[in-house]
Amino acid sequence: MNKAIFSIIGAIIIFSSGVLAQNSQNVDYTKFVNVFIGTGALDANSLSGSNFPGACMPFGLVQLSPDTREYPDDPCSGYDYKDSTILGFSHTHLNGTGCPDLYDFLFMPYGGDKKWQAGSDDGKTKGFRSHFSHSNEKAYPGYYSVVLDDYNIRAEMTATEHCGMHRYTFAKADTYHLIIDLEHTLIKDSPYRYSKIISAQVRVVDNKTIEGYRIVSGWAKLRKVYFRAEFSRPFDSQVMKAGSNEFQNIPVANHSDLKIILNFDQNNNMPLLVKVGISSVSAEGAKENLNAEMKDFNFDGISVQANKAWNKELSCIDISGTARQKSIFYTGLYHLFIQPNNIADVSGNYLATDNSIQNAPDKKHYSTFSLWDTYRAAHPLYTLVQEDRTAGFINSMLRQYKTYGYLPIWQLWGTENYCMIGNHAIPVIVDAFLKGIKGFDYEEAYQAVKASSTTSHKNSPFNVLDKYGYFPEDLQTQSVSLTLEIAYDDWCVAQMAKKLGHEADYKFFLNRSGDYKNLFDKTSGFFRAKDSRGEWINPFNPLEYGGNGGFPFTEGNAWQYLWYVPQDVPSFIDLMGNDQKFVEKLDEFFTLDAKPGDVNGNASGFIGQYAHGNEPSHHVVYLYDFTSQPWKAQYYSAKIMRELYNDQQSGYSGNEDCGQMSAWYIFSAMGFYPVNPANSVYCFGSPQLENATINLANGKQFKVITNNLSTDNIYIQKIILNGKPYQKNYIAHKDIENGGVIEFFMGKTPNKKMATYEKPLMIAGEL
């Protein structure tokens, strides 16, 4: 009986995939996506991509996915491909982050008379955990399924923007149960990663409906989330578990450790379907979201809609390449489009940072801004393929400025968590402004950018910077990284001020953007920390790593932060001495394998001191384009794509970080990358795709054609743009935006004539 039922379900899945409405080219891009890429690490010495395999919609609020850990921590997605048991399915997850949070409202079906089991220290025995096999696990964009071996139950998930739907198919007609855990979250007693349930409630509306909420303080402080769940059949009884107390069939319970177990009589082999709406605003909002997006229990129809939505989004770039390349590329786009997340209800209501309920006119209010990561390549890629949403992202950032006083640093669930350093909403806004993206108020955005560069706040005491011309380590930790990163942000502010006619501001911020020079030690050849007396802090070891405080460098060392002057590379080359010395230092960077005993948990994917698994290194390959040896950018970019990405669960060399690792590959595979994310210039590397067509928002297409491509042919021999020879080591955004065709001709050996090609422009105004 169970085999027959599961065969029918499988046939439905195949049929649903086959009847997808196709785009104009009749291509199903979702078939190239492997949602398991990034869900595991290569080995014990590697980092997981920290991605989840569950069902979600592009930029949606819900990510309905399995959790394999009682206290999801590492990987932060809650799912590790190496694990063999599943604890349940929760409705919100982060994609590729280095810190954990969310995991709201864990659902787990089970059969028989098994009793609840409290958690153990190893985090592997809590509740009704079940073994599973990857051979019985299937997933694609908008759909996830697995067989829970301990109960012989097939669990399937799909999603709309604000809702998730479950379908549980039971192998035999027997009593079965569904537990909903409102306490499930990350570890409670860690000094660094912790979560506290402030309060939670579950309420029985009727025998086919429950609703509830929880208030959680974790990475996002005092986060509120509400749910409403409706069932395809009535439950016969229920048990509320509030801490150590159990209550039979009561209508409502409140507790910080709260669960409800729903009991169903014999099921006659019919699946149980559950549709769940969630909201960051109110219980009424969760109900409205559910009524708007899931009017019935048509699981297959919802799954098809989700897959169609993903196919539409993924069609923004059409490529030709190997199966491996397509899998990495389109899975990368998929990961890129999971967030930022629209946390507004279907009504447009959202909870502002001052805890007032506001309304977004376009029904979109985005959060999950991992800006220290994503400003580098993810947001520049959004400006190419998500132009309308880019304006929505910026309007959402501006709403935080209005209620909070400055732009987001790392915003989660609409609240600021101050993770990481710098104020990197600034380059995102300035980049969109300089590219002429419409849909937000430029002057209002400038005022927000300026305020965020002058109003002192956590990790950004601008009064200290203005006094010393750098951040002294004895007054502000992470001082070198902060000085360098804020210098870049200041350059961005200056460009926007200049174009809008704020001449005094332009001069101030342009001058402050040169403060990085105050920490360069010509004797050692590195940026180093000084104290408030202007003295170098000793001892100094350029190989020593810092984390997120208590050290001059953030998630890196002096080698990795040596190259962080994206706004002023020509001047930095002069500071290093000359072109030859700059190239020699770059060469040493990529070949020096020495490492201290502890390289920090964020460092991975090494080529010498280059660590592709974390963001400070991401632009460094392309600095060769500013030198007399640009072909080395081609060599190392090809090496990284081929060695540090794959199409298996270990597909990323570090945390995927909300699309940044993917964006690096997507840009680089097409042959170019934004060293300075806000100057509308892309530096050339080694194109790896036979063809790539970017379908632009203005209706035009920009095509990349790579001739003579092979494993050995990694070097550009010549370039033709729109039928004419092209002798630059970069391409401007305006050339892409205007549409056209660029052709690369590849060979086995470097074309050293490229040393005479025009170097990348650095001043946005020159474009």
Side-chain angles (χ1 to χ4, degrees):
M1 178 66 75
N2 59 323
K3 292 183 179 179
I5 292 174
F6 288 171
S7 296
I8 292 171
I9 297 297
I12 292 172
I13 294 169
I14 295 170
F15 175 76
S16 299
S17 300
V19 298
L20 290 173
Q22 304 296 313
N23 56 26
S24 59
Q25 295 182 323
N26 199 37
V27 177
D28 179 7
Y29 296 93
T30 66
K31 71 181 181 182
F32 304 126
V33 176
N34 176 0
V35 299
F36 293 102
I37 290 178
T39 60
L42 183 63
D43 53 45
N45 297 318
S46 302
L47 295 178
S48 168
S50 199
N51 301 103
F52 64 84
C56 61
M57 283 279 278
F59 307 100
L61 179 63
V62 165
Q63 305 84 34
L64 181 50
S65 192
D67 291 337
T68 60
R69 302 289 174 94
E70 175 181 350
Y71 300 123
D73 185 356
D74 185 17
C76 301
S77 64
Y79 177 96
D80 193 324
Y81 194 85
K82 300 188 300 294
D83 289 340
S84 60
T85 61
I86 286 175
L87 183 69
F89 308 93
S90 59
H91 291 76
T92 58
H93 292 83
L94 289 167
N95 172 42
T97 58
C99 281
D101 208 342
L102 306 185
Y103 321 112
D104 294 303
F105 309 127
L106 185 83
F107 280 47
M108 184 63 173
Y110 65 100
D113 298 322
K114 184 176 179 180
K115 300 298 183 182
W116 172 263
Q117 185 174 8
S120 68
D121 291 339
D122 64 9
K124 295 182 179 180
T125 60
K126 179 181 177 182
F128 301 95
R129 180 182 292 279
S130 172
H131 291 85
F132 76 105
S133 168
H134 292 304
S135 62
N136 288 323
E137 188 181 33
K138 295 180 175 62
Y140 51 78
Y143 175 86
Y144 173 86
S145 76
V146 68
V147 174
L148 302 173
D149 291 336
D150 290 7
Y151 311 115
N152 210 359
I153 297 171
R154 180 180 291 278
E156 299 173 273
M157 316 285 146
T158 189
T160 61
E161 189 171 4
H162 298 85
C163 308
M165 186 176 286
H166 309 238
R167 180 165 63 187
Y168 302 122
T169 304
F170 303 85
K172 58 182 180 180
D174 198 356
T175 300
Y176 59 96
H177 319 273
L178 180 67
I179 184 167
I180 301 170
D181 186 354
L182 280 72
E183 187 263 352
H184 174 65
T185 185
L186 61 138
I187 196 164
K188 312 300 187 298
D189 56 2
S190 166
Y192 178 58
R193 295 176 172 178
Y194 70 93
S195 181
K196 182 179 181 181
I197 310 295
I198 306 300
S199 67
Q201 181 187 92
V202 65
R203 179 184 299 274
V204 177
V205 178
D206 55 47
N207 65 357
K208 294 179 70 175
T209 311
I210 64 172
E211 61 184 23
Y213 69 84
R214 68 179 190 165
I215 302 173
V216 191
S217 192
W219 195 19
K221 308 304 179 190
L222 292 177
R223 187 173 60 87
K224 299 177 182 179
V225 56
Y226 302 82
F227 82 97
R228 181 181 176 91
E230 299 180 3
F231 302 86
S232 61
R233 64 175 62 193
F235 47 88
D236 298 281
S237 62
Q238 49 87 3
V239 179
M240 303 277 196
K241 296 182 68 66
S244 60
N245 298 309
E246 291 190 8
F247 303 97
Q248 301 282 338
N249 299 317
I250 61 173
V252 63
N254 297 272
H255 202 276
S256 59
D257 181 3
L258 185 62
K259 302 161 185 66
I260 181 171
I261 299 175
L262 306 177
N263 303 308
F264 298 82
D265 281 345
Q266 291 187 353
N267 61 76
N268 299 318
N269 298 121
M270 294 297 292
L272 171 68
L273 291 103
V274 190
K275 52 182 182 176
V276 183
I278 69 171
S279 169
S280 63
V281 178
S282 65
E284 185 62 27
K287 181 179 179 180
E288 290 178 357
N289 292 340
L290 194 57
N291 290 340
E293 295 179 356
M294 288 187 176
K295 299 182 184 301
D296 53 34
F297 292 94
N298 183 3
F299 182 97
D300 296 315
I302 295 293
S303 178
V304 168
Q305 286 180 5
N307 205 288
K308 285 170 62 177
W310 276 112
N311 199 45
K312 179 182 178 182
E313 299 296 339
L314 298 174
S315 68
C316 62
I317 305 178
D318 184 80
I319 71 168
S320 298
T322 65
R324 176 184 181 274
Q325 288 173 330
K326 285 185 174 182
S327 183
I328 297 171
F329 191 96
Y330 284 107
T331 304
L333 273 180
Y334 171 77
H335 286 149
L336 184 70
F337 295 163
I338 288 176
Q339 68 290 298
N341 306 112
N342 176 26
I343 64 170
D345 289 340
V346 293
S347 65
N349 288 345
Y350 68 92
L351 192 67
T353 52
D354 61 359
N355 282 320
S356 64
I357 296 177
Q358 303 292 331
N359 187 270
D362 60 355
K363 314 302 182 189
K364 306 291 183 184
H365 182 71
Y366 293 97
S367 189
T368 317
F369 288 117
S370 182
L371 289 162
W372 186 80
D373 309 293
T374 57
Y375 84 95
R376 303 167 193 264
H379 279 281
L381 189 53
Y382 290 138
T383 66
L384 279 174
V385 298
Q386 292 286 351
E387 186 172 313
D388 290 342
R389 280 200 172 91
T390 291
F393 301 159
I394 292 171
N395 283 323
S396 299
M397 294 177 187
L398 294 177
R399 293 181 190 123
Q400 171 168 320
Y401 160 68
K402 291 176 183 177
T403 56
Y404 209 69
Y406 40 90
L407 293 163
I409 298 164
W410 212 124
Q411 191 202 78
L412 176 61
W413 208 260
T415 65
E416 183 59 65
N417 64 33
Y418 291 102
C419 187
M420 308 312 299
I421 60 172
N423 294 80
H424 298 317
I426 292 170
V428 171
I429 291 173
V430 173
D431 181 40
F433 165 71
L434 293 174
K435 289 173 179 174
I437 289 178
K438 308 298 182 184
F440 64 99
D441 186 297
Y442 290 165
E443 188 59 42
E444 178 187 26
Y446 175 70
Q447 295 305 320
V449 161
K450 179 181 176 181
S452 300
S453 302
T454 53
T455 304
S456 294
H457 51 276
K458 186 175 181 179
N459 285 335
S460 294
F462 293 110
N463 58 317
V464 174
L465 178 63
D466 291 336
K467 179 179 179 179
Y468 294 94
Y470 62 93
F471 288 107
E473 181 66 19
D474 57 332
L475 300 181
Q476 174 59 55
T477 186
Q478 305 178 80
S479 60
V480 179
S481 295
L482 264 173
T483 300
L484 295 172
E485 294 197 24
I486 287 178
Y488 173 68
D489 290 339
D490 284 343
W491 180 90
C492 294
V493 182
Q495 304 312 306
M496 193 171 187
K498 181 179 181 180
K499 196 161 185 178
L500 289 174
H502 301 288
E503 190 63 25
D505 288 351
Y506 167 70
K507 292 178 181 178
F508 172 80
F509 287 109
L510 188 65
N511 178 68
R512 204 171 74 176
S513 74
D515 280 353
Y516 70 90
K517 298 174 184 177
N518 297 330
L519 291 183
F520 187 73
D521 175 16
K522 290 188 176 181
T523 302
S524 66
F526 289 96
F527 292 108
R528 291 182 56 186
K530 287 182 179 178
D531 62 22
S532 55
R533 298 184 300 275
E535 297 177 358
W536 299 116
I537 293 179
N538 289 303
F540 171 69
N541 176 5
L543 294 171
E544 187 176 356
Y545 275 78
N548 299 90
F551 194 73
F553 299 96
T554 303
E555 294 191 5
N557 62 16
W559 268 109
Q560 286 146 14
Y561 263 98
L562 173 60
W563 313 103
Y564 194 81
V565 192
Q567 75 277 18
D568 199 11
V569 178
S571 295
F572 180 50
I573 291 174
D574 292 340
L575 192 65
M576 293 279 284
N578 54 42
D579 176 272
Q580 180 181 348
K581 290 181 179 179
F582 189 80
V583 170
E584 288 174 353
K585 198 78 169 183
L586 269 175
D587 290 345
E588 186 179 4
F589 176 68
F590 281 102
T591 55
L592 179 63
D593 287 330
K595 299 181 182 70
D598 178 14
V599 296
N600 185 272
N602 294 288
S604 58
F606 282 98
I607 300 175
Q609 289 304 298
Y610 179 90
H612 192 69
N614 207 19
E615 279 65 29
S617 290
H618 274 194
H619 69 291
V620 181
V621 167
Y622 293 92
L623 293 180
Y624 279 112
D625 281 324
F626 298 85
T627 75
S628 59
Q629 299 184 31
W631 53 86
K632 290 183 178 177
Q634 299 159 35
Y635 171 80
Y636 282 113
S637 61
K639 181 179 179 68
I640 292 166
M641 280 183 276
R642 294 177 183 183
E643 295 180 6
L644 298 179
Y645 289 85
N646 67 62
D647 58 353
Q648 303 301 310
Q649 71 273 7
S650 58
Y652 298 110
S653 57
N655 298 148
E656 204 272 344
D657 286 318
C658 293
Q660 171 57 27
M661 289 284 283
S662 295
W664 190 97
Y665 182 91
I666 291 164
F667 268 127
S668 296
M670 294 191 293
F672 47 89
Y673 185 84
V675 168
N676 179 339
N679 78 330
S680 303
V681 168
Y682 308 94
C683 298
F684 289 145
S686 180
Q688 297 290 295
L689 303 172
E690 295 174 357
N691 294 278
T693 300
I694 304 173
N695 298 306
L696 300 163
N698 60 12
K700 298 180 180 180
Q701 292 182 327
F702 184 76
K703 297 184 179 182
V704 180
I705 299 173
T706 309
N707 299 284
N708 308 322
L709 187 62
S710 72
T711 302
D712 296 327
N713 292 354
I714 62 172
Y715 296 104
I716 298 172
Q717 305 301 301
K718 68 176 180 178
I719 307 168
I720 295 177
L721 178 63
N722 297 328
K724 297 179 180 180
Y726 189 77
Q727 295 191 332
K728 298 179 181 180
N729 286 318
Y730 70 93
I731 188 168
H733 180 81
K734 64 181 181 182
D735 291 323
I736 296 175
E737 189 178 35
N738 289 337
V741 180
I742 190 169
E743 287 191 77
F744 296 101
F745 294 81
M746 310 301 289
K748 293 182 180 181
T749 58
N751 172 17
K752 297 193 175 181
K753 292 181 180 180
M754 290 192 75
T756 64
Y757 283 13
E758 185 178 321
K759 303 297 185 291
L761 299 172
M762 293 310 298
I763 306 300
E766 294 182 6
L767 299 178

